[in-house]
Amino acid sequence: MPSVAATYYDGVTAKRNAVQVSLHPEGLAIFAASGRPIAIWPYQEIRRIEGFAGAGLAVTLLKVPGSSAEPQLEIPDPVFASDLAARAPLTLTKGVSARRERRAVVFWALAAIVSLIGLAFYGLPAIAGRLAPLVPAAAEIRLGAAMDPEIRRTFGRSSPLRTCVAPEGQRVLNELVGRFEQAASLHVPLKVVVVDGPLVNAFALPGGYVYLFNGLLQKARGPDEAAGVLAHEIGHVKLRHGLRSVIQAGGLGFLLGTVFGDFAGGTAIILASRSLIQSAFSRDSERQADAFAIDLMLKAGGDPMGLARFFTDAAVADPGGFAWISSHPANAEREQAIRNALKDAAARRPALTPEQWTALRAICQKTE
Ligand SMILES: [Zn+2]
């Protein structure tokens, strides 16, 4: 009786067992690699399960006497699979979820091991920096989409966070974001909202989510200060700083979960969101985002000096009192760097007309 290689799960643990299977008159026989018999599954009780990639077959046993275990076999050999199909009814059964859970356990265990090894050899920041560019945009978007509600909960505190949607202001915001987006050629679409709150704050999540607080619009003395902050946050999106810091906080396993998993609402997302809000990006990241913002404004309109002015204005008015400022270190130095970069640039037209700026600042007259 010819036998072929297969993978066996005992239905209790997540362990993958390399086995041999063969077709016997009384059923499908499963042997350990050592030759020890594991089980014979009567053909009438074998059911196909979904989700096996490739030409083979994944099957389970309909009922195991005296047990709730759901053992499974993956048989990659297509010839053997079709022989088996000729003998067993092989109608589809449920049990896929159980199998996926077991797979998830295996996956997370592996991811944890890989994380630890990577951590030991390279240190997490280095790994995060190297891996962030490799994460598919779709996965980054999924991550941002899972973090977005968490961020809203965190900032909303007792009441749900409200976003500002007064139509005139919304039009101006859309126009400005559209202009920046086109010039920035981003890997993800931007989702910029103004948040109804007094904080002078702005931040970017992975996946193109950018939040500008109304406090920042009110604090800004002109459109270029607000547009400069927006351009800076778009820089963090473009350079995937949020993604990097999430990987750094959550480890490689988390990154892999991002790519393969669906983890909305899970503890990992809550922790990642918290850490992103609480921890500052590195000085290098900030400098890069500033440089990007200057470039973006020179391309898409607006005076990059607005960003430099915002550092001085906001800091002078209330030293250390503003979230965005205080989480962005070494403001004086960054302000000087922007001034230097623009030394020879001609005077620039503002990012918005006075009317547009007025409309944008009034965007929180309607919230939802
Ligand atoms: Zn920043």
Side-chain angles (χ1 to χ4, degrees):
M1 199 61 61
S3 67
V4 300
T7 304
Y8 174 74
Y9 300 90
D10 64 9
V12 180
T13 67
K15 190 168 182 290
R16 288 168 65 92
N17 300 285
V19 296
Q20 293 286 317
V21 290
S22 61
L23 299 170
H24 280 251
E26 60 273 35
L28 175 67
I30 306 165
F31 297 92
S34 64
R36 178 180 61 83
I38 294 174
I40 292 187
W41 289 5
Y43 292 119
Q44 290 307 310
E45 294 185 3
I46 298 175
R47 294 292 181 272
R48 190 160 70 84
I49 45 183
E50 266 179 339
F52 183 63
L57 195 62
V59 292
T60 187
L61 189 62
L62 204 52
K63 47 185 182 286
V64 180
S67 161
S68 61
E70 216 183 339
Q72 288 168 23
L73 264 179
E74 289 175 354
I75 305 166
D77 186 311
V79 177
F80 187 93
S82 71
D83 284 353
L84 175 62
R87 292 167 196 242
L90 291 190
T91 44
L92 263 182
T93 187
K94 298 195 181 81
V96 181
S97 61
R99 193 166 62 104
R100 288 216 176 117
E101 266 165 39
R102 269 191 294 278
R103 284 220 167 148
V105 170
V106 174
F107 169 79
W108 283 105
L110 273 177
I113 292 166
V114 173
S115 299
L116 285 174
I117 294 171
L119 187 64
F121 278 92
Y122 303 107
L124 210 40
I127 291 186
R130 274 170 200 233
L131 289 182
L134 304 177
V135 175
E140 192 188 327
I141 292 171
R142 230 172 20 237
L143 174 64
M147 291 176 77
D148 173 59
E150 199 42 52
I151 292 288
R152 287 170 187 252
R153 252 195 301 280
T154 305
F155 277 101
R157 303 219 170 86
S158 52
S159 58
L161 188 91
R162 301 187 73 81
T163 50
C164 302
V165 292
E168 277 301 308
Q170 189 72 62
R171 249 196 300 282
V172 173
L173 180 67
N174 291 349
E175 191 268 333
L176 180 64
V177 169
R179 232 191 309 148
F180 279 170
E181 188 165 34
Q182 209 168 17
S185 38
L186 299 169
H187 60 294
V188 292
L190 284 177
K191 291 161 281 283
V192 181
V193 292
V194 175
V195 171
D196 188 17
L199 286 175
V200 181
N201 205 353
F203 58 89
L205 290 190
Y209 290 81
V210 175
Y211 308 79
L212 294 174
F213 278 73
N214 188 33
L216 188 142
L217 293 181
Q218 302 313 316
K219 184 83 203 169
R221 293 201 188 161
D224 292 317
E225 297 192 358
V229 170
L230 174 62
H232 171 94
E233 296 302 328
I234 294 174
H236 285 313
V237 171
K238 173 80 178 183
L239 301 162
R240 305 183 103 176
H241 290 152
L243 179 63
R244 203 152 87 184
S245 110
V246 167
I247 297 171
Q248 212 167 309
L252 195 57
F254 184 73
L255 166 73
L256 296 173
T258 311
V259 177
F260 298 108
D262 170 22
F263 43 41
T267 319
I269 280 298
I270 294 172
L271 293 177
S273 306
R274 299 269 153 84
S275 78
L276 192 63
I277 295 169
Q278 283 161 8
S279 65
F281 290 137
S282 72
R283 250 175 209 226
D284 274 347
S285 296
E286 294 307 339
R287 264 193 289 267
Q288 287 166 12
D290 286 345
F292 182 88
I294 295 172
D295 205 45
L296 185 59
M297 291 182 90
L298 291 178
K299 274 191 211 154
D303 183 357
M305 276 309 293
L307 182 58
R309 275 198 302 272
F310 187 75
F311 290 130
T312 24
D313 283 3
V316 164
D318 188 355
F322 298 103
W324 198 77
I325 288 293
S326 59
S327 64
H328 285 70
N331 292 311
E333 181 195 316
R334 289 170 62 202
E335 189 223 329
Q336 193 54 49
I338 297 173
R339 288 185 191 282
N340 291 345
L342 290 168
K343 208 164 44 203
D344 302 322
R348 307 272 308 167
R349 283 180 44 202
L352 301 173
T353 66
E355 298 73 36
Q356 285 177 317
W357 175 231
T358 304
L360 181 58
R361 292 184 93 201
I363 193 172
C364 289
Q365 282 175 1
K366 185 173 175 233
T367 61
E368 63 175 28

